[in-house]
Amino acid sequence: MTAMMAYNCISRWSGALGVCAIIAIIRPAHADPRAVVELFTSQGCSSCPPADKLVGELAKDPSVIALSMPVDYWDYLGWKDTLADSRFSARQKAYSHVRGDRNLYTPQMIVNGSAQVIGSDRAAVEGAIKSTSKTDGVMSLPVTMTLSGKLLNVSVDASKVSTTTRRGEVWLCSVSRAVPISIGRGENRGREITYYNVVRNLVKVGDWNGSSGSWTIPLDSISREGVDAAVVYVQDGSREKPGPMLGAAYTELR
């Protein structure tokens, strides 16, 4: 399925990101991931279930951070996606603008912020992970995230790669690890499909300028029903012009 249409702009999120200290049990994030993969999917797309399943399989690999970002532009086909967010549609379009093409479809996988492949093609995904890893700076930035009580502590190291663009944005995603959905209409009517690592909220934590930085985020700013994990990523460029992924971390919240 393809789409060439106008999208809503990404909504701006605001909120105070407080800085405070607390003594608590700390759970570290998974370390040193080699890739961030983003699946743009839709409950109204009959081609998507194999890609949705693949995200669940990729999520079992601790070296891969796999995210589902359901889009809303197929809702008119007869089934309104219950997990979709117009911000994800806008993000997919922003990637297309950066590439200079009109390749907007579901299921589409974006690998490390730079390569796009059919989301159900495991070989293509693995190939894209290998090819993007050869680019200087991609997933080279150490990022750590720890849960301390009701706070998330995010730390980003200084860049050690001289050719890396020394700027980027730090984003925090709240994630539901598995969401079963019974679909009543549309191309997947009558099916129950489980969606994995579904992004439920996005919060910009700050800007990264090449130096080390740290932020403390209250869990209340990203929590909602069903959220049980968090991902933080540092990405070159901006929300409107997303570039390569520089580093990321994942942690379970419960």
Side-chain angles (χ1 to χ4, degrees), residues 187-204:
E187 293 185 356
N188 289 314
R189 63 185 177 275
R191 301 184 65 175
E192 180 172 282
I193 300 172
T194 299
Y195 297 87
Y196 298 95
N197 282 4
V198 181
V199 178
R200 308 307 306 276
N201 196 0
L202 282 169
V203 177
K204 182 179 176 181

Side-chain angles (χ1 to χ4, degrees), residues 17-178:
L17 300 184
V19 178
C20 44
I22 189 169
I23 298 174
I25 297 174
I26 295 176
R27 277 184 277 174
H30 293 173
D32 301 325
R34 63 192 173 108
V36 175
V37 297
E38 303 167 68
L39 175 66
F40 295 97
T41 183
S42 173
Q43 294 170 17
C45 167
S46 61
S47 301
C48 286
D52 300 318
K53 181 180 178 182
L54 178 57
V55 167
E57 295 170 357
L58 292 172
K60 297 176 183 178
D61 183 345
S63 73
V64 176
I65 295 177
L67 299 172
S68 294
M69 294 192 174
V71 298
D72 63 352
Y73 51 76
W74 296 127
D75 286 357
Y76 75 94
L77 293 179
W79 175 257
K80 182 177 174 60
D81 193 302
T82 59
L83 300 172
D85 193 314
S86 62
R87 292 173 295 164
F88 304 153
S89 302
R91 181 167 175 80
Q92 186 183 23
K93 187 180 182 183
Y95 275 129
S96 174
H97 282 170
V98 170
R99 293 192 308 268
D101 60 36
R102 294 187 176 184
N103 289 330
L104 299 171
Y105 59 89
T106 55
Q108 184 180 51
M109 192 89 80
I110 303 297
V111 179
N112 282 334
S114 54
Q116 66 92 16
V117 298
I118 296 173
S120 56
D121 189 336
R122 177 186 284 273
V125 173
E126 290 292 348
I129 290 174
K130 292 179 181 178
S131 63
T132 55
S133 67
K134 297 176 182 179
T135 303
D136 286 344
V138 170
M139 298 303 289
S140 65
L141 190 63
V143 178
T144 57
M145 178 170 47
T146 55
L147 176 64
S148 181
K150 293 185 177 181
L151 300 173
L152 274 175
N153 303 305
V154 175
S155 297
V156 180
D157 282 5
S159 175
K160 297 180 180 179
V161 181
S162 59
T163 55
T164 301
T165 300
R166 293 178 178 271
R167 64 179 180 82
E169 294 184 344
V170 185
W171 286 83
L172 180 66
C173 305
S174 58
V175 172
S176 296
R177 283 178 288 173

Side-chain angles (χ1 to χ4, degrees), residues 206-229:
D207 295 304
W208 178 79
N209 62 4
S211 302
S212 60
S214 60
W215 299 264
T216 300
I217 303 97
L219 282 179
D220 289 347
S221 66
I222 64 166
S223 62
R224 60 185 293 182
E225 184 178 358
V227 167
D228 49 18

